[in-house]
Structure formats: structure tokens, C-alpha cells
Amino acid sequence: MRIGALVTAVGVLLAALAAEALAASDIRSVRLWRAPDNTRLVFDLSGPVQHSVFTLAAPDRIVIDVSGAKLATSLEQLSLANTPITGVRSAQRSADDLRVVIDLSAPVSPKSFTLAPNQQYGHRLVVDLFDQGSAPPATQTPSIAASAPPVPVTPTQPPPKLTPVPNGKRDIVVAIDAGHGGEDPGALSPVKGQYEKHVTLAISKELQRQINAEKGFRAELVRTGDYFIPLRKRTEIARKKGADLFVSIHADAAPRASAFGASVYALSERGATSETARWLADAENQSDLIGGAGNVSLDDKDKMLAGVLLDLSMTASLSSSLNVGQKVLSNMGGITPLHKRRVEQAGFMVLKSPDIPSILVETGFISNPNEAKKLHSASHQQALARSITTGVKQFFHENPPPGTYVAWLRDEGKIAAGPREHVVARGESLALIAQRYQISLASLRSANKLNGDVIKVGQTLQIPATALAAQ
């Protein structure tokens, strides 16, 4: 009898667990974002579900069958403007089986996947609808990276700067990356409904406007609206736009609400230079974990050759990053308190471009009530953008890329040829720096009052005005 009772009890328990596992999950809300080449629907769930997606033609529709789900929200509130979606309707086919039908104005290519809970959201079902001519990436791993647009162009994006440049010289291109976006809101303000993603986009658009007002410069936005782009994809977009500089704009949070001040970061090859830098870098890098984006494999390359070339390129890029970063930071110090008075270095994934000087600008701590208020102010956003613009101009007036209008101005003596600065990067020697700028080692020592050849990482060297940089 004891064994029989035990078997009965176990059976009841297993049945209860099975019933719980099969219990329908609620679709609590539905969110929609429009990216330049796709539309993303995110179904927020109370638990895991199974699903299938298929297409129908004449008329064009997407059908999503969700097993173990019930609709507990309205679909009528979705804003469908500027999307190929003309309507979203649903029907409960059985107690636990839901069908969602998406009516379309044009054919699309769907891609769907589920996501486990993270710190911001619970279970989710993500459906990406790629426009014609923009097929989803050929990857078998469900990833938010699949929804990243290759080149953001939307009806609301400002028209490109088409001002002719004298003598056929090109503009200096600055890629501006507004941090976060879409279902990744970034840090939260103490004020309800204020997110980092909105602040960064507002500052980025103002920065673009100001840089485009400068003759010989052109600013390109990496993210033009409220949608998500994986970190590595952001640098890819910048590269496709021919960027000479990558500037990532953020307004982060800290564990302490009292933390305040602006910061500028460049890449660190050997980890963070402070606990704050390490904490912020980890938070930013985890952005890709929302969709599980993985590292790029270099297994098919000659690792020794690739390593040498990458190291040489990264060293030059990092030196320029530290240089422009210090100029931006110095100018920001004139309009807002600084968290650190030198450029910090950390392992931000978004800065890991070996061929483009890259900086990450923390415009302030949105977790600080006083700074949050300023960051949402249009006047403060304009002042921040102006300080960044000034720092960028100063750097390129001293280090203009060859073939640009600014380089032509410098060669013609129309830009003051004052001493340039070089911030020493890891792995650089005094002889290597002298060779880069085509000056003698003796003149470099003399300009910096050095008795020997010992220099330190982060040290700022003056490059004699008569030197012509070997770009």
C-alpha cells in the first residue's frame, strides 16, 4: 500500500507539473519598430511558447501560429505608418493555440526566433519582416543581429550634405553612433519614460547638424531612428560610409545615483583603466547578448600575418583615438563637469575597429537626477554637441586625412600650422613616432624636452609645426 500510495502521489505530481508546463502563456504586449530595411515585431510573453511562421500570397500575408499562448493585449494600438503592414489581426483557434495574421502591402521575407528573459524583459517572440531586396542574413542562430540594417536610410533622415568641395577634395566623414535603440533602451532616467536611447539620438542628430555646417566635413548617422543595431554592425555601417572617425554617443548609468560628469573613452588593449571603466564596458558589451551575437572567426586566415597587420593598424588608430578623445574631453570640460579629466580606456566592443579612430563619449550619467534633467534639455544637448564638434575640428585641423578639403586648406596655409599633438599608444616608441611624422628623432626630443627616448602610454607629445605627417 505504501508503494502504491507513493506511485499515485508521484503520478499526481508529474501530472500537475505537466499541466503547468502546458499552461498557456499570455501575450502581454506587442511592440513594433521600423528599421531602414525591415520591420520588427516583438511579442512580450509571460512564459515560453512554440511557434511557426509561414507566408501567404494574393493577398500578401504572414501567419504566425503560437502554441500554448493567449492574447492578453490589444493589437489596435500598433503604429503601422511607414511599414509594409496594413493590419494585424488574431484568432484563438483553440484554448491554447493562437493565430496572428499580418496583412501586407508588399511581400516580405520573415525571420522569427524566441528570446529568454534578461534584466529588462521576460520571454519574447521576435518576428522580423525584411523588405523585398533585403533578405535576412543566412544564419541559423536566432539573433537580434539579423535585424540590423546595413545602411540606415529612412524618410525622416536628413538629406545628405551635397555642398561641392573646391578642387575636387573630399569631405572628412564623421560617423555618429547613437547608443542603444529599439528594444534596447539603455540606461533609465529617474524620470519615468526617459531612456538613454532617446537622449543619445537627440544629441547625435544635433551633432550631425553642427558638423555638417562646417565646410569640409560631413556627418553620417549610424542609427537614424528607434531601432536596434548590434555593436559590431555599427562599425560596419561606419566603414561603409567611409568614416574617418567613429563617435559613439552615450548617457549611461552608474550603481551610485550620485555619480556625475562626462567622460571620453578609447579602446584599451589590456582591459579597463578603472573600475568605473570596466563596469561601463561590461554593460555596453552585454548589449549584444540580447540577441546572442557571436564573435567573428578568423580561423581561415594566416593568424601571424593577420595579427601583425591588425596590431600595426590598431596602434595607429588607438593613438589617433586618444588624441581626438582628449581634445573632445577638454572642450566638454568647458560646459559640463567631467567624471575623469583624461581619456579613459576600456574594452568597449563598439570601439574595436582597427582602421577607424573611435571614441565613446559619455555625455553624463542619466542615473543622476540633476544630470538627467540637463541631458533632456535642448540647450544642453546643443552645448554638448558644440564641444564635441570643436574637439573633432581641432583634431582634423592638425591631422587632416590626405585628399580632403581640410588637408588642402592646411597645405595652402589657410589653417594655422601650429604644433600638433600625439598621444602615445601602447607599443609605440619615440623612433616609430618620429618616422610616422617624417621628422628626426632629435627634433622630436627637442620639441618635448626629452633627455632620452623613454615615453609612457598616454603621454602627449608635441609634433614640431614644420613636420609633415605621413598619413
Side-chain angles (χ1 to χ4, degrees), residues 30 43 121 156 303 341 391 398:
V30 183
F43 298 85
Y121 300 105
T156 58
K303 290 188 177 181
R341 294 196 170 274
E398 295 177 0

Side-chain angles (χ1 to χ4, degrees), residues 16-93:
L17 291 174
E20 182 178 351
L22 294 174
S25 297
D26 289 335
I27 296 180
R28 294 173 170 172
S29 64
V30 183
R31 295 172 283 134
L32 181 148
W33 285 279
R34 176 61 186 169
D37 68 344
N38 71 84
T39 303
R40 163 163 290 188
L41 284 161
V42 179
F43 298 85
D44 291 302
L45 309 165
S46 62
V49 297
Q50 298 293 322
H51 78 284
S52 63
V53 175
F54 59 93
T55 61
L56 294 174
D60 294 308
R61 288 155 290 164
I62 297 292
V63 179
I64 309 167
D65 284 335
V66 188
S67 300
K70 293 181 179 179
L71 187 65
T73 186
S74 172
L75 300 176
E76 297 177 356
Q77 83 285 1
L78 293 174
S79 176
L80 306 179
N82 299 319
T83 77
I85 302 175
T86 58
V88 181
R89 47 200 169 90
S90 67
Q92 202 74 42
R93 297 199 300 166

